[in-house]
Amino acid sequence: MDIIDLHCDVLEKLTRLEAVDFQNDNRLHANLNYLQAGKVKVQVFAIFIHPNVPQKEKFLEAARQIEAFHTKVLSKSEMVHITDWRQLDELKEGEIGAVLSLEGCDCIGEDIGKLQHLIDAGVKIVGLTWNEENTVAYGTSEAPSKGLKPFAHEVIQLLNQHDILLDVAHLNEQGFYEVLPLAKHIIASHCNARSICDHPRNLTDEQIKALVQNGGRIHVVFYPPFIEPAKETTTINELLKHIQHLTSLVGVESIGFGSDFDGMDPLAIEKLSNASEYQNLINALLNTYSIEEVQMMASKGFRNYVMGIGKREK
Ligand SMILES: [Zn+2]
């Protein structure tokens, strides 16, 4: 069954590891061979800049990751750069769609022009923060009560203008609630349910319901500490507890996957440790859900969501 995955950190590794080949390097958990084996039809590639990178070098680092996206990912004939969501319906047999996202606005500083450059380069999904504070907002490692900064309004306006999805993964609680009425398109690209695993990176039931009521979606993440408290390894069954809770809360239409492959090693779910094992999750879901329901979570829900983009106003 085809998969749409909303989060991986391949680009960061492509710029950091020596002599890395996107085709089959097994240091990459979402390399091309693995994506093909796992039937991943669309993969979102995050631009993630480690907080240790000095501020004045962050935008250059973003540019390096976009360069790696072109020279190492899109250079493979199977990979198709998705710059318009309508391309999702035009992918041919054997082709894999590749989408750029930005995991945190740190690299733009207070320069809205830099965000415009990233949108021009094809970024379709933008998170305001990673875990820490930046010029826009506060991340999940900061106090939950701190709200958006004034610059956030300029950022959200630009995202709305270009129909960019605003990603609330990593955003703190107050920021989350302030974003809901402002952003045209909202998703949580890689988050689980806090009522099942109490971690600040997971969303409360109240947040999940508010997200979906505002037209948004939640995509579950495979990072073990967000599945079971303080676990370095876990099982597909434990992930299913989150999915079952979410489906009972908001329905299969609003749920998807955002693995976080290449953002969590050496931690991993057993039998779901890289993209090649994706169908193990699908098979486990088929024990509980109908094929139509699993398809909805695997790809169709997100596909339907982005095809409705022109109809959402704010
Ligand atoms: Zn992340």
Side-chain angles (χ1 to χ4, degrees), residues 7 9 103 130 170 190 201 260:
H7 194 85
D9 284 312
E103 189 169 27
W130 194 58
H170 291 284
H190 57 305
R201 273 281 285 104
D260 210 3

Side-chain angles (χ1 to χ4, degrees), residues 137-191:
Y138 297 86
T140 46
S141 68
E142 306 285 342
S145 57
K146 292 180 173 175
L148 299 177
K149 297 192 180 179
F151 184 47
H153 296 271
E154 216 176 317
V155 166
I156 295 169
Q157 195 180 11
L158 189 67
L159 300 181
N160 285 348
Q161 203 180 317
H162 292 274
D163 280 322
I164 305 299
L165 314 190
L166 193 154
D167 186 358
V168 294
H170 291 284
L171 185 60
N172 76 338
E173 218 166 317
Q174 182 62 25
F176 171 93
Y177 283 109
E178 289 183 19
V179 152
L180 287 187
L182 299 175
K184 251 166 106 176
H185 317 292
I186 318 155
I187 51 151
S189 69
H190 57 305
C191 293

